Amino acid sequence: MTSTAPHAQHGRAPEEEPPSWQRRLRRFGYLPRRTAGLRERLVPPYVRPPGPYLWSLLRISPALADRLMRLAPWGGPLLVTLVAGLARFWNLGRPHAVIFDETYYAKDAWALVNQGYEGSWPKDIDRRVLADPGSVPIPTEPGYVVHPPAGKWLIGWGEQLFDFSPFGWRFTVAVLGTLSVLMLCRIGRRMFRSTFLGCLAGLLLAVDGLHFVMSRTALLDTVLMFFVLAAFGCLVVDRDRSRRRLADALPVDGDGVLRPDAEIAEGLRLGLRPWRLAAGLCLGLAFATKWSGLYTLVVFCLLTVFWDVAARRTAGAHRPYLAVLKRDVLPAFVSTVPVAIGTYVVSWAGWLFTDKGYFREWAKGRSGLSPDHVGGISLPQFDMTWVPEWLRSLWHYESEVYSFHIGLTSGHTYQSNPWSWILVGRPVSYYYESPRPGQGGCPATETEKCASEVLALGTPLLWWAAAFALLYVLWRWFFRRDWRAGAIVAGVAAGWLPWFLYQERTIFYFYAVVFVPFLCLALAMLVGAILGPPGSGERRRTAGAITAGVLVLLIIWNFIYFWPIYTGTTMPIEEWRHRMWLDSWI
């Protein structure tokens, strides 16, 4: 006799009774994994809003609760972004100094937006820039620079808006740092299908000390981080849209249940994917800011292809890799790699349209042979006369820059090994002054000099908790095949692992800012696990909420505690020493 039970009507086998140990664990909030339907696996629904019990506990009327839920998807992220922006723009022009590598990028950016190429600045010009920037002439002699121009163009536009001053050259970086918080809130919401966890990820980024300091300093790494995160967000949106397109094309049986179909899953063309084109543009801008963005380009291109494989397999494809090879690989390549390379070349427009840039006229009058070495590696020579002179000059410039980067092994006080980054082993001091008592904000009652420092230090409790969160997402990826965990791992790997190839090179902890957003996503995912899966019992939810709440509050407190050494606030030397938790931070 044919079964008429609901599960039989939907084409699923009757569920087996869970083992006795699982039944006993239900009283502690354990829930066996539920098998999701095909549409739910292709297009997961968002987490349902809190029930009426929570609203009644907070004394919020149903009408107001409904309005809050409708505003939350954008209202929550915007509120978190407002907090992050106020913190980042507060007293942005202080310290009134050229701190750390601002001495390169602030001046190069000013020359770039005014004459199209970087100049060779005198070594003792910083004091004059701070005292009277209007009197400082821009050098017409071209300067040898070792980073592409996209990030410096952005810094320079801030200087054009607010003058050649500390606030001016930090303005654009602060804007991008603030917007990255908004992006992470929305990306986290889309990945976790939870407005709360998305806003939590953004809040964690807002209170990370390294991201905070880098958002207030005119270096290129925050610009790089912004474009990497933007590219990732574009690919996540593209993933959702392509999977929805697959779901809409699949057949529905007589009971209204979506069914897999191998022919559709393997043969459907997904059409124009503008979000992947946008990702290619962002990846090109990342690469055009710092060359390390090239690793992210490779990782993210592979990531989006694997997402297509998973989507077609879920939809019923018997040979998903072959289907993706036929239908998706070429469009994915065209949407990302040529777009990124074209964006990189366009970023050199100022150098291309002048004849005064460094190495700009290198190819003029030369034989047209390709370089016989790059970075000390011998190469065969080819006749390159068919290549335009400007492109040969640019290639020569790039080969010289590559040689510089791989040969950069001179020691530095604040250099660090990438192994130590996740433990915040060696932060970088951008600025340090020792005002005497009664001067520079140092209380006259002090018996010793005070301290005023800007230290690029990640919020320690956040980073140490994120180390455990990384282990959790690795477990989710390996054993649960959770795509969200895999995406987070890919983001961290693209920004961190390449530096292990250059351990002889002089590298710094602040390079890690590019993968800080992914650490925050990992920690938000761990918090979601602590809170418990949907449908957990009241006891389980309460315990999880208390644990997660304590963790987040401790991280916020930790950020507030280190605020003085993030902002250069003058403090008694004993207070400064109390914040040097590790000897390697000094």
Side-chain angles (χ1 to χ4, degrees), residues 197-252:
L197 291 181
C199 290
L200 176 61
L203 177 64
L204 292 173
L205 187 63
V207 298
D208 175 62
L210 180 61
H211 186 274
F212 176 77
V213 171
M214 294 298 290
S215 298
R216 293 168 53 88
T217 311
L219 271 63
L220 300 179
D221 300 83
T222 301
V223 183
L224 171 64
M225 177 276 305
F226 175 84
F227 287 124
V228 167
L229 183 61
F232 180 77
C234 290
L235 292 178
V236 170
V237 175
D238 173 75
R239 179 187 183 275
D240 271 7
R241 293 198 169 195
S242 60
R243 291 172 76 91
R244 183 176 291 109
R245 200 170 295 174
L246 268 173
D248 292 342
L250 291 175
V252 178

Side-chain angles (χ1 to χ4, degrees), residues 83-388:
V83 173
L86 290 174
R88 279 152 180 76
F89 279 94
W90 177 83
N91 218 7
L92 182 61
R94 297 290 175 182
H96 187 74
V98 180
I99 63 175
F100 201 61
D101 281 355
E102 284 185 343
T103 188
Y104 303 115
Y105 306 125
K107 292 179 292 191
D108 285 345
W110 185 244
L112 195 64
V113 295
N114 280 282
Q115 63 187 20
Y117 64 94
E118 297 92 339
S120 180
W121 293 84
K123 291 184 178 180
D124 57 349
I125 200 68
D126 287 353
R127 290 185 179 180
R128 187 174 170 186
V129 168
L130 293 170
D132 186 11
S135 68
V136 178
I138 301 172
T140 56
E141 183 71 20
Y144 177 59
V145 295
V146 294
H147 288 298
K152 287 171 283 187
W153 278 111
L154 291 172
I155 293 172
W157 289 335
E159 291 173 330
Q160 285 189 317
L161 288 173
F162 297 102
D163 204 1
F164 189 27
S165 63
F167 183 88
W169 61 64
R170 295 169 191 161
F171 173 78
T172 303
V173 181
V175 169
L176 297 182
T178 303
L179 290 178
S180 66
V181 173
L182 176 61
M183 285 197 302
L184 192 65
C185 289
R186 294 290 298 177
I187 290 169
R189 179 180 183 272
R190 185 175 288 271
M191 289 179 66
F192 303 132
R193 290 307 200 251
S194 167
T195 300
F196 170 75
L197 291 181
C199 290
L200 176 61
L203 177 64
L204 292 173
L205 187 63
V207 298
D208 175 62
L210 180 61
H211 186 274
F212 176 77
V213 171
M214 294 298 290
S215 298
R216 293 168 53 88
T217 311
L219 271 63
L220 300 179
D221 300 83
T222 301
V223 183
L224 171 64
M225 177 276 305
F226 175 84
F227 287 124
V228 167
L229 183 61
F232 180 77
C234 290
L235 292 178
V236 170
V237 175
D238 173 75
R239 179 187 183 275
D240 271 7
R241 293 198 169 195
S242 60
R243 291 172 76 91
R244 183 176 291 109
R245 200 170 295 174
L246 268 173
D248 292 342
L250 291 175
V252 178
D253 66 13
D255 296 318
V257 177
L258 197 69
R259 294 296 183 186
D261 187 291
E263 183 177 351
I264 293 176
E266 294 180 0
L268 181 68
R269 294 184 182 276
L270 296 175
L272 182 65
R273 297 169 70 168
W275 284 99
R276 197 149 64 178
L277 284 168
L281 175 64
C282 292
L283 289 169
L285 289 169
F287 179 31
T289 299
K290 290 189 79 170
W291 277 8
S292 52
L294 184 60
Y295 294 106
T296 305
L297 171 65
V298 174
V299 172
F300 283 7
C301 285
L302 293 174
L303 184 65
T304 189
V305 169
F306 285 132
W307 283 350
D308 285 345
V309 170
R312 292 188 182 274
R313 181 191 290 118
T314 303
H318 298 312
R319 295 172 295 180
Y321 283 95
L322 182 60
V324 167
L325 184 63
K326 290 180 177 179
R327 304 293 184 193
D328 301 318
V329 168
L330 182 59
F333 176 83
V334 172
S335 299
T336 51
V337 177
V339 172
I341 293 175
T343 302
Y344 179 85
V345 174
V346 170
S347 74
W348 285 87
W351 182 87
L352 292 173
F353 289 109
T354 181
D355 58 356
K356 296 181 180 179
Y358 204 87
F359 281 138
R360 178 62 185 86
E361 300 295 316
W362 177 85
K364 184 172 290 186
R366 291 183 179 265
S367 63
L369 293 177
S370 62
D372 59 357
H373 74 281
V374 174
I377 303 173
S378 297
L379 300 173
Q381 285 196 328
F382 300 98
D383 184 4
M384 304 289 286
T385 52
W386 57 275
V387 177

Side-chain angles (χ1 to χ4, degrees), residues 377-429:
I377 303 173
S378 297
L379 300 173
Q381 285 196 328
F382 300 98
D383 184 4
M384 304 289 286
T385 52
W386 57 275
V387 177
E389 285 186 354
W390 67 265
L391 187 54
R392 280 189 283 139
S393 295
L394 181 60
W395 174 258
H396 176 73
Y397 196 163
E398 306 293 74
S399 66
E400 291 294 318
V401 169
Y402 179 75
S403 299
F404 169 84
H405 280 303
I406 65 171
L408 185 61
T409 57
S410 57
H412 193 283
T413 304
Y414 291 107
Q415 71 183 65
S416 60
N417 190 290
W419 284 110
S420 69
W421 291 356
I422 195 65
L423 299 177
V424 198
R426 184 59 172 161
V428 182
S429 180

